[in-house]
């Protein structure tokens, strides 16, 4: 398949993904009756308006509180697009007001709304909040695909051909050198990655397995590139990943501007947003004064009644003209302020889709850094690459893949990232970080063998750390116990009650052995299925022993634990059936993520008869047996 056909296929697969995403939204939100949506946590209704105020960047913010279904689990979270609506019977149409969630705490939701004024109906008692479909991301990805396909005889075309394997990347012509005194805190594999980044003319890849200091190496590479190029573009697929980099780069003394909606940014990064930087600019008072005068003039112009005379009409026209001139002055000053901020910043940071922000239109960068690139859809990566002369990827394709709703699109190739394609075409551009600073050597060894060619090394500081005198790993096999999985008929998620109870008993035994009085270990329970999360949460809440260490405990799915670590990790695999079906446990990258969250102790509970139908789990079982970590669930009966 030639390059044009490859890219056209990716574009068509993206369209499939958009259809699948929209259809899911229709089925779960649009076509569901209000009472059912509310019960399922996909809508808050009714809610009351608590207050409204002007937030960061002069944006209008409202705070709402739900007055029914209190403490009902829900799908709302910061950064999601929502629609505030009125369900009042006297209204011929349902009123809507779009916005983005700042945060949700208990039964309170804070939303930055679109527009400058609140509608009258916002005072209604029958208000609700619905999820909205994010059309913008697909629109920007499709526009990027179109530009990439059409590119000819440009630097973008050269970069595209290089990343997709038609052209060999070059190094050395950029006259880069590691700056004296920098990179001294990096180990040898991190320094090698840094050297490759600094020498690359087209592309470099920092391959960072769990706990190997990928972010540290990436931040060092960004800092040194800024010293030479004066400014770089830094992106990641998620807001959380961008905010982490903003924090780390700011700590290094770099001047960072965070492009994006303030509602999608963490509190620590708020002061770095473009809106906040505008508000703290030397000329902002002047801008605010012009806007205030403009509003006063506009208000004056429209105070006249309809049936006014010649002089009033003349006065109104003059006032309207004055308001127009003031608006033009404000726009010019705002344009100057924004450009001053952008031009004097070391780092422009945003999500991949955020790189299409109107404020960045026409801007070009020597280098774009893309973190968590192995979790990013290819079309999203092209958005910032269109603005750059070279690209540096960081990530790990043996951890979580991108989330894809369309099974067909994933199967046909959308699940394969640009990061993976580039490593395949140009393995010489990648540097794998090898020293890990997280896991006991016994926890590290199996993932190292299976995913990383036995190249991971446990640093001396973590090599032997453990919990008390306990074994580092327990694999508890439920085979033959009759602990069969069940499928939730509504959500289609799976759960295994007996396995959940067994896992909680194991943790209670562990806590009793170590003692809870001076407990200071972080503890995470991971399971691939949301239905099992619900059961484990209820069991943990009901456990008198686990309640003593509640503030140290997190229970969630694998995806929620990406990028995190805990002293103790307990995994419930759930699947146990006569057919040997393991469902999406077959995506072994998820299991790699689950295992490698553990620092000092790992507990795995699963059915070897079901899991053993897959070669990865067979290898895992062989490893735990060989090391003496294997136990039968019968020992805990």
């Amino acid at each position: 398949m030639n390059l044009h056909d490859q890219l056209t296929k990716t574009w068509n697969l993206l369209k499939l993904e958009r259809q699948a995403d929209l259809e899911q939204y229709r089925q779960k939100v649009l076509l569901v009756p209000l009472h059912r949506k509310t019960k399922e946590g996909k809508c808050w209704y009714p809610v009351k308006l608590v207050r409204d105020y002007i937030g960061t960047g002069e944006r209008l913010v409202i705070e709402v509180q739900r007055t029914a279904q209190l403490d009902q689990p829900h799908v709302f979270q910061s950064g999601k697009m929502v629609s505030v609506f009125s369900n009042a019977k006297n209204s011929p149409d349902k009123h809507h007001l779009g916005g983005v969630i700042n945060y949700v705490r208990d039964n309170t939701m804070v939303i930055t709304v679109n527009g400058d004024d609140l509608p009258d109906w916002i005072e209604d008692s029958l208000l609700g909040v619905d999820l909205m479909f994010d059309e913008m991301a697909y629109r920007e990805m499709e526009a990027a695909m179109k530009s990439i396909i059409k590119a000819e005889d440009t630097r973008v075309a050269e970069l595209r051909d290089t990343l997709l394997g038609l052209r060999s990347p070059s190094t050395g012509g950029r006259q880069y050198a590691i700056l004296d005194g920098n990179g001294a805190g990096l180990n040898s594999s991190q320094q090698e990655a840094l050297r490759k980044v600094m020498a690359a003319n087209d592309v470099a890849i920092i391959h960072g397995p769990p706990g190997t200091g990928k972010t540290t190496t990436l931040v060092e590479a960004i800092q040194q590139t800024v010293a030479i190029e004066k400014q770089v573009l830094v992106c990641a697929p998620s807001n959380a990943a961008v905010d982490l980099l903003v924090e780390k780069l700011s700590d290094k003394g770099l001047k960072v501007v965070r492009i994006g909606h303030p509602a999608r940014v963490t509190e620590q990064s708020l002061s770095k947003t473009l809106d906040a930087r505008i508000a703290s600019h030397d000329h902002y008072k002047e801008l605010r004064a012009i806007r205030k005068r403009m509003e006063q003039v506009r208000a004056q112009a429209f105070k006249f009644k309809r049936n006014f005379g010649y002089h009033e009409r003349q006065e109104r026209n003059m006032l309207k003209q004055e308001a127009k001139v003031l608006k033009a002055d404000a726009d010019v000053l705002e344009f100057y302020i924004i450009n001053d901020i952008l031009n004097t910043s070391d780092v422009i940071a945003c999500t991949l889709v955020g790189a299409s922000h109107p404020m960045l239109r026409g801007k070009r960068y020597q280098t774009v850094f893309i973190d968590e690139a192995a979790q990013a859809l290819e079309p999203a990566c092209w958005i910032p690459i269109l603005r750059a002369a070279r690209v540096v990827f960081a990530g790990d394709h043996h951890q979580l893949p991108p989330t894809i709703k369309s099974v067909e699109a994933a199967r046909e190739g959308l699940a394969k990232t640009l990061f993976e394609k580039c490593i395949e075409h140009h393995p010489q551009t990648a540097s794998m970080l090898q020293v890990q600073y997280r896991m006991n050597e016994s926890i590290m060894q199996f993932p190292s063998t299976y995913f990383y060619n036995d190249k991971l090394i446990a640093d001396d500081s973590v090599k032997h750390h453990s919990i008390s005198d306990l074994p580092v790993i327990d694999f508890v096999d439920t085979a033959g116990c009759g602990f069969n999985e069940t499928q939730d008929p509504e959500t289609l998620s799976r759960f295994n009650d007996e396995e959940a109870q067994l896992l909680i008993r194991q943790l209670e035994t562990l806590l009793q052995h170590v003692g809870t009085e001076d407990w200071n270990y972080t503890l995470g329970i991971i399971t691939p299925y949301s239905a099992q999360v619900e059961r484990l949460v209820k069991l943990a809440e009901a456990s008198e022993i686990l309640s003593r260490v509640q503030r140290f405990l997190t229970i969630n799915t694998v995806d929620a634990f990406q990028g995190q670590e805990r002293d103790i990790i307990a995994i419930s695999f759930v699947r146990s059936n006569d057919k040997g079906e393991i469902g999406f446990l077959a995506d072994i990258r998820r299991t790699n993520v689950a295992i490698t969250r553990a620092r000092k102790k790992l507990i795995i509970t699963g059915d070897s008869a079901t899991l053993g139908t897959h070669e990865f789990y067979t290898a895992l079982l062989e490893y735990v047996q060989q090391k003496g970590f294997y136990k039968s669930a019968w020992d805990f009966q």
Side-chain angles (χ1 to χ4, degrees):
M1 195 185 289
N2 66 34
L3 188 131
H4 181 273
D5 291 345
Q6 268 186 60
L7 288 163
T8 304
K9 183 184 177 186
T10 302
W11 188 358
N12 289 331
L13 292 177
L14 181 67
K15 290 175 184 173
L16 265 185
E17 172 64 5
R18 182 190 168 281
Q19 285 166 8
D21 200 359
L22 182 57
E23 186 52 34
Q24 256 192 43
Y25 172 74
R26 277 168 47 76
Q27 296 295 336
K28 290 183 176 179
V29 180
L30 285 188
L31 303 177
V32 177
L34 184 59
H35 72 277
R36 200 173 120 207
K37 271 194 298 195
T38 307
K39 189 183 170 191
E40 291 174 357
K42 291 162 191 156
C43 173
W44 275 19
Y45 181 81
V47 301
K48 66 174 181 181
L49 180 69
V50 177
R51 63 184 181 128
D52 61 89
Y53 57 94
I54 301 298
T56 308
E58 302 290 293
R59 293 178 189 244
L60 197 53
V61 178
I62 63 169
E63 184 180 311
V64 298
Q65 223 169 48
R66 52 178 171 177
T67 55
Q69 305 285 339
L70 300 183
D71 304 317
Q72 165 80 24
H74 58 82
V75 297
F76 295 97
Q77 60 192 67
S78 62
K80 292 262 190 188
M81 292 175 69
V82 291
S83 169
V84 182
F85 64 87
S86 166
N87 211 28
K89 286 190 170 60
N90 59 359
S91 145
D93 298 305
K94 202 191 230 187
H95 294 300
H96 290 275
L97 177 66
V100 176
I101 299 174
N102 287 38
Y103 65 84
V104 186
R105 281 182 199 147
D106 302 322
N107 293 301
T108 299
M109 191 185 298
V110 174
I111 304 163
T112 300
V113 297
N114 304 331
D116 301 324
D117 297 303
L118 286 177
D120 297 337
W121 56 261
I122 202 79
E123 302 293 339
D124 290 349
S125 57
L126 296 171
L127 292 180
V129 183
D130 254 343
L131 272 180
M132 276 179 74
F133 182 68
D134 189 359
E135 181 69 52
M136 194 268 285
Y138 287 103
R139 202 167 51 238
E140 296 300 345
M141 284 192 280
E142 290 198 11
M145 290 305 300
K146 196 174 178 180
S147 299
I148 283 292
I149 289 169
K150 282 168 62 178
E152 274 183 51
D153 303 323
T154 60
R155 179 58 186 151
V156 164
E158 286 179 357
L159 209 46
R160 172 200 66 199
D161 294 353
T162 305
L163 296 177
L164 294 176
L166 264 71
R167 181 176 171 272
S168 294
S170 68
T171 58
R174 296 172 61 82
Q175 300 303 308
Y176 275 131
I178 291 181
L179 305 177
D180 292 340
N182 282 331
L186 303 182
N187 64 46
S188 58
S189 68
Q190 290 172 329
Q191 286 186 8
E192 176 56 27
L194 185 58
R195 268 191 290 274
K196 280 197 175 180
V197 168
M198 303 314 280
N201 294 327
D202 305 295
V203 60
I205 296 172
I206 301 171
H207 178 195
T212 54
K214 169 181 66 72
T215 304
T216 303
T217 311
L218 184 61
V219 165
E220 186 69 41
I222 292 167
Q223 193 178 15
Q224 294 199 29
T225 306
V226 165
I228 295 157
E229 296 175 4
K230 307 306 177 202
Q231 191 177 78
V232 297
L233 180 61
V234 172
C235 301
S238 70
N239 284 291
V242 177
D243 288 337
L244 176 65
L245 282 171
V246 167
E247 198 182 319
K248 301 280 186 192
L249 291 165
S250 301
D251 289 346
K252 288 278 188 179
L254 291 174
K255 208 171 177 185
V256 185
V257 61
R258 169 73 159 95
I259 306 293
H261 199 297
R264 291 190 166 106
V265 173
T266 59
E267 269 179 57
Q268 294 92 319
S269 296
L270 262 181
S271 62
K272 315 293 187 309
T273 58
L274 185 58
D275 293 50
R277 293 278 295 275
I278 290 169
S280 62
H281 194 274
D282 292 345
H283 290 284
Y284 180 67
K285 280 183 183 170
E286 193 184 332
L287 175 65
R288 203 163 179 189
I290 296 172
R291 280 191 178 147
K292 193 174 178 184
R293 173 67 187 143
M294 179 187 76
E295 289 303 324
Q296 287 168 345
V297 170
R298 278 178 64 193
Q300 226 177 320
F302 290 98
K303 74 177 182 183
F304 297 106
K305 302 284 182 283
R306 283 187 179 182
N307 48 350
F308 50 76
Y310 172 78
H311 292 296
E312 286 89 351
R313 184 175 285 109
Q314 288 291 94
E315 190 179 347
R316 186 170 84 158
N317 286 341
M318 282 170 63
L319 288 166
K320 281 169 75 177
Q321 188 58 34
E322 187 184 347
K324 201 173 174 183
V325 170
L326 285 165
K327 185 182 184 307
D329 288 348
D331 289 348
V332 168
L333 184 54
E334 186 178 51
F335 181 77
Y336 163 76
I337 291 171
I338 288 167
N339 274 287
D340 186 46
I341 291 165
L342 292 177
N343 292 337
T344 56
S345 294
D346 301 318
V347 176
I348 311 295
C350 56
T351 61
L352 297 168
V353 173
S356 63
H357 197 285
M359 299 302 177
L360 302 182
R361 207 157 278 156
K363 304 262 182 207
R364 298 280 302 163
Y365 302 90
Q366 194 61 32
T367 304
V368 58
F369 289 86
I370 300 180
D371 193 16
E372 302 295 1
Q375 276 189 275
L377 287 177
E378 180 185 326
C381 285
W382 290 121
I383 299 171
I385 291 171
L386 282 166
R387 305 194 179 285
R390 73 171 192 144
V391 59
V392 177
F393 292 117
D396 179 11
H397 51 305
H398 298 305
Q399 292 189 66
L400 287 186
T403 302
I404 296 178
K405 308 263 172 68
S406 165
V407 176
E408 187 186 346
R411 189 179 59 240
E412 290 296 315
L414 192 62
K416 193 163 190 178
T417 62
L418 201 51
F419 181 95
E420 284 177 273
K421 288 179 183 180
C422 203
I423 272 194
E424 266 182 31
H425 294 310
H426 312 297
Q428 75 280 14
T429 62
S431 289
M432 191 182 94
L433 308 180
Q434 293 177 7
V435 182
Q436 66 84 18
Y437 300 90
R438 175 184 298 166
M439 295 165 270
N440 178 295
E441 193 172 37
S442 295
I443 298 170
M444 175 203 79
Q445 202 174 336
F446 177 73
S448 176
T449 303
Y450 205 92
F451 294 103
Y452 305 110
N453 299 318
D454 259 334
K455 287 185 177 172
L456 288 189
I457 301 158
D459 186 71
D460 287 342
S461 62
V462 301
K463 196 172 187 174
H464 301 298
H465 64 186
S466 58
I467 303 285
S468 184
D469 55 348
L470 295 168
V472 178
I473 302 176
D474 289 326
F475 185 106
V476 182
D477 187 2
T478 65
C481 294
F483 291 3
N484 291 332
E485 65 188 69
T486 308
Q487 187 169 32
D488 186 307
E490 277 193 31
T491 65
L492 303 182
S493 184
R494 293 174 192 268
F495 60 92
N496 190 322
D497 279 324
E498 290 92 348
E499 185 176 293
Q501 289 161 18
L502 173 64
L503 189 62
I504 295 298
R505 284 203 302 277
Q506 287 173 263
L507 290 173
E508 288 174 337
T509 305
L510 184 149
L511 264 66
Q512 285 171 320
H513 179 87
V514 177
T516 54
E517 279 188 24
D518 300 314
W519 183 270
N520 200 27
Y521 298 113
T522 54
L523 175 58
I525 304 178
I526 302 180
T527 181
Y529 294 94
S530 54
Q532 187 77 338
V533 170
E534 288 175 29
R535 273 145 187 85
L536 286 161
V537 166
K538 283 177 184 166
L539 289 168
E541 285 171 352
S543 166
E544 190 272 323
I545 297 168
L546 283 179
S547 64
R548 296 177 207 162
V549 298
Q550 193 178 356
R551 66 193 178 97
F552 296 97
L553 175 63
T554 314
I555 305 172
N556 221 320
T557 58
V558 183
D559 296 52
F561 270 94
Q562 170 84 341
Q564 300 185 39
E565 58 184 63
R566 298 290 186 274
D567 292 320
I568 303 162
I569 286 288
I571 302 170
S572 168
F573 278 137
V574 177
R575 300 308 296 256
S576 179
N577 55 72
D578 296 335
K579 295 176 183 174
E581 291 175 350
I582 63 168
F584 63 65
L585 284 184
D587 187 347
I588 57 176
R589 291 173 292 185
R590 281 195 150 72
T591 306
N592 183 34
V593 170
I595 289 171
T596 55
R597 301 309 94 197
R599 298 179 69 239
K600 301 177 179 181
K601 171 85 178 163
L602 175 66
I603 300 169
I604 301 173
T605 311
D607 178 354
S608 65
T610 301
L611 297 170
T613 58
H614 192 288
E615 60 180 7
F616 169 80
Y617 296 99
T618 303
L620 176 60
L621 285 159
E622 284 170 4
Y623 174 74
V624 294
Q625 283 171 334
Q626 177 198 339
K627 293 286 183 179
F629 297 139
Y630 176 89
K631 292 176 181 174
S632 169
W634 292 105
D635 301 336
F636 295 87
Q637 297 298 320

